[in-house]
Amino acid sequence: PVIRCPKGNAAEIVAERLEMKMRDARRDPKSELFKDQAITSFQRPLLILLDRNMDICSTLHHTWTYQALIHDLFNLYLNRCKVEVDEKVKNYDLGPDDQFWAKNKGKPFPEVADAVHVELEACRAAEQEIKRLKDVMGESGVENANDQIADTVSSLPELMERKKRVDMHINIATALSDCIRARNLDKFFEVEEKIMTKTTLEESVLDTLKNPSVGTAEDKLRLFIIYYLTTSDLPDNELQQYIEALQEAGCDTSCIEYLAKLKSVSSLNVPAQTKLTSSSGSYSSMSNMFKYVKQSSKFMMEGVKSLVVGHRKLPVTRTVDCLSELKQTPETDSFLALDPKIYRKTENLLPALKNTFNDVYVFVVGGGSYVEYQNLMTYSEQHPGKRIVYGSSEMMDSKNFLDQLTKLGSSSS
């Protein structure tokens, strides 16, 4: 692949070592790094290595999509999350074999709540059809009954598995809605969106931080960091007011000192743009879950704003767009271009790059997020033929990322 990376950070170090390893592998006849690879395209891929510092806000931003919410609130790890249901902690596996998950994981949560309602109605319709067949079999002769019994029995395993999946997503969605209402996460999401898109706020950030009935200490610290990094000039006396408000809310503000140093020595690319218990048994036990039908989407979203989520490109997505399409922009003009196929390192490779890239591999050094992943997948869907693979040194939720920032702030003080 052609390698692109920003200068002066961990991504550049990784890129240069990777280029050297690839170049040595091409020289070594015993190396099997690039051997026995099926040629699926005559166009070379693009590998983009990025540093987490290029966009801290997206990792801390309160999200509104299903998968990212589960990762943020329920510690999604290796496709498994822990959810409290009826005062018991349950483990749920969310894999590619779950069609509902595959279809809805990147959608805004209110749309997922509606989709759960639709799935419940579909299962109820299937149950009614089975009951109808049972009545028909009782009235019909033996000859017709045998075929109908066989069809009904063969459909039961699939129906029970579907019911199990729907029941799982009911429990997850209900727990998510409880967390959203308890912490006013819809409010934080809305305020942060306005901050990052430079939209006028109905209430000042300082008033939100001082409001004891809104959010947790972690929520308020995340909100302030986004505001701080997207504000170009914040006087020291105002900054002190924010710090005092955060400390009164129970926040550890050690990370602010690190962010202040980082902000002073680097130009951060901030993301601002102009504009229920699972049951088992025979099909007859499925009726137990339909008590949730009336509690589905409307109940889950009661007291939660049904926010309209517009698609805006995050910094990682904008970078991918510029580099893969060879666009000249201030965001990417300073990026290094490395080519392992050239035996001698070339400082200026850009004039040799003439063709755009359809196969793009993006790797974030320092941790990635599902928000970025979903943003890239949406961009890929909007550009047919563009294939994007996203990876990172780890998938971090906001709590782990805040812990790292706090450690950095404590060590730098």
Side-chain angles (χ1 to χ4, degrees):
V2 174
I3 304 174
R4 301 296 303 273
C5 68
K7 295 180 180 179
N9 51 37
E12 179 182 4
I13 298 174
V14 174
E16 290 181 341
R17 293 186 179 181
L18 182 60
E19 181 205 23
M20 186 182 302
K21 184 176 182 65
M22 289 182 177
R23 184 178 289 114
D24 292 343
R26 286 179 53 83
R27 291 175 179 175
D28 186 1
K30 297 181 180 180
S31 175
E32 298 183 355
L33 185 60
F34 297 107
K35 287 185 178 181
D36 301 327
Q37 292 187 351
I39 299 177
T40 58
S41 173
F42 290 99
Q43 186 184 56
R44 296 180 64 190
L46 174 66
L47 172 60
I48 303 175
L49 294 173
L50 302 172
D51 191 276
R52 181 69 273 160
N53 285 343
M54 74 169 291
D55 178 24
I56 290 177
C57 295
S58 294
T59 309
L60 295 175
H61 182 26
H62 288 84
T63 183
W64 201 236
T65 56
Y66 193 38
Q67 184 180 37
L69 268 173
I70 294 175
H71 182 242
D72 189 17
L73 301 178
F74 300 148
N75 192 26
L76 179 64
Y77 181 69
L78 297 178
N79 292 335
R80 172 172 287 188
C81 66
K82 295 181 179 180
V83 180
E84 185 173 336
V85 180
D86 297 333
E87 299 181 353
K88 295 181 180 179
V89 177
K90 290 197 172 186
N91 293 318
Y92 289 130
D93 293 321
L94 301 167
D97 57 329
D98 186 346
Q99 295 182 358
F100 183 89
W101 172 250
K103 182 179 179 181
N104 295 283
K105 63 182 180 181
K107 293 182 179 180
F109 180 61
E111 294 184 18
V112 176
D114 290 338
V116 170
H117 176 76
V118 173
E119 284 291 304
L120 281 170
E121 292 290 356
C123 287
R124 181 168 64 175
E127 183 199 38
Q128 294 299 324
E129 177 64 15
I130 291 176
K131 289 182 178 180
R132 187 190 67 82
L133 288 175
K134 181 180 178 181
D135 295 337
V136 171
M137 285 185 289
E139 297 174 357
S140 61
V142 178
E143 296 180 1
N144 296 331
N146 288 336
D147 293 337
Q148 292 171 342
I149 291 174
D151 293 339
T152 301
V153 171
S154 63
S155 66
L156 279 178
E158 180 181 352
L159 188 59
M160 291 303 301
E161 181 63 25
R162 184 180 182 185
K163 177 262 173 184
K164 181 180 177 181
R165 294 291 184 184
V166 172
D167 206 21
M168 176 183 71
H169 286 288
I170 289 173
N171 292 336
I172 294 175
T174 303
L176 283 175
S177 62
D178 290 343
C179 288
I180 292 172
R181 284 193 293 266
R183 294 167 55 179
N184 299 106
L185 298 184
D186 50 342
K187 176 181 176 64
F188 282 97
F189 169 80
E190 187 177 22
V191 172
E192 291 164 3
E193 281 287 308
K194 289 182 177 180
I195 291 173
M196 292 189 287
T197 54
K198 306 299 182 183
T199 306
T200 304
L201 298 176
E202 298 177 1
E203 181 183 45
S204 69
V205 174
L206 187 59
D207 289 340
T208 302
L209 298 181
K210 289 182 177 181
N211 189 344
S213 63
V214 175
T216 63
E218 177 188 321
D219 295 325
K220 294 179 178 181
L221 183 58
R222 290 165 63 179
L223 170 62
F224 172 73
I225 291 175
I226 292 173
Y227 174 71
Y228 178 61
L229 293 179
T230 52
T231 304
S232 57
D233 186 18
L234 188 65
D236 291 341
N237 59 333
E238 290 188 22
L239 176 61
Q240 188 59 36
Q241 293 180 17
Y242 285 105
I243 292 177
E244 290 175 358
L246 289 170
Q247 290 174 344
E248 290 178 3
C251 301
D252 186 345
T253 58
S254 304
C255 63
I256 297 177
E257 185 171 353
Y258 167 75
L259 293 173
K261 293 180 180 179
L262 184 64
K263 190 176 179 181
S264 64
V265 300
S266 64
S267 177
L268 291 176
N269 288 322
V270 297
Q273 285 186 349
T274 54
K275 299 234 182 210
L276 308 163
T277 304
S278 177
S279 57
S280 59
S282 64
Y283 75 86
S284 60
S285 66
M286 291 177 60
S287 58
N288 294 331
M289 84 167 173
F290 292 127
K291 64 183 180 180
Y292 297 112
V293 171
K294 295 181 180 179
Q295 302 175 352
S296 59
S297 57
K298 292 183 180 180
F299 173 79
M300 292 175 187
M301 300 311 298
E302 183 180 354
V304 179
K305 294 182 179 180
S306 184
L307 302 174
V308 178
V309 182
H311 176 70
R312 59 182 178 85
K313 295 178 183 176
L314 297 180
V316 169
T317 305
R318 296 203 303 268
T319 300
V320 170
D321 180 51
C322 294
L323 294 180
S324 63
E325 298 297 325
L326 302 181
K327 297 178 180 179
Q328 300 295 320
T329 64
E331 285 183 312
T332 58
D333 284 347
S334 61
F335 273 50
L336 287 175
L338 308 175
D339 190 350
K341 291 185 70 174
I342 301 177
Y343 284 99
R344 291 185 179 180
K345 186 176 179 179
T346 304
E347 293 294 334
N348 189 12
L349 180 64
L350 291 180
L353 298 178
K354 298 180 180 180
N355 298 322
T356 59
F357 298 89
N358 289 328
D359 294 293
V360 184
Y361 298 86
V362 185
F363 190 88
V364 182
V365 180
S369 69
Y370 285 104
V371 176
E372 287 180 337
Y373 163 73
Q374 290 162 355
N375 201 253
L376 283 170
M377 294 304 102
T378 302
Y379 169 79
S380 177
E381 292 172 0
Q382 295 173 348
H383 296 75
K386 186 83 70 177
R387 296 171 292 274
I388 301 176
V389 177
Y390 175 82
S392 63
S393 49
E394 60 178 315
M395 294 296 284
M396 289 190 300
D397 57 29
S398 57
K399 184 179 184 304
N400 291 331
F401 192 51
L402 276 178
D403 289 342
Q404 292 189 16
L405 291 177
T406 300
K407 291 179 181 178
L408 289 170
S410 300
S411 61
S412 62
S413 60

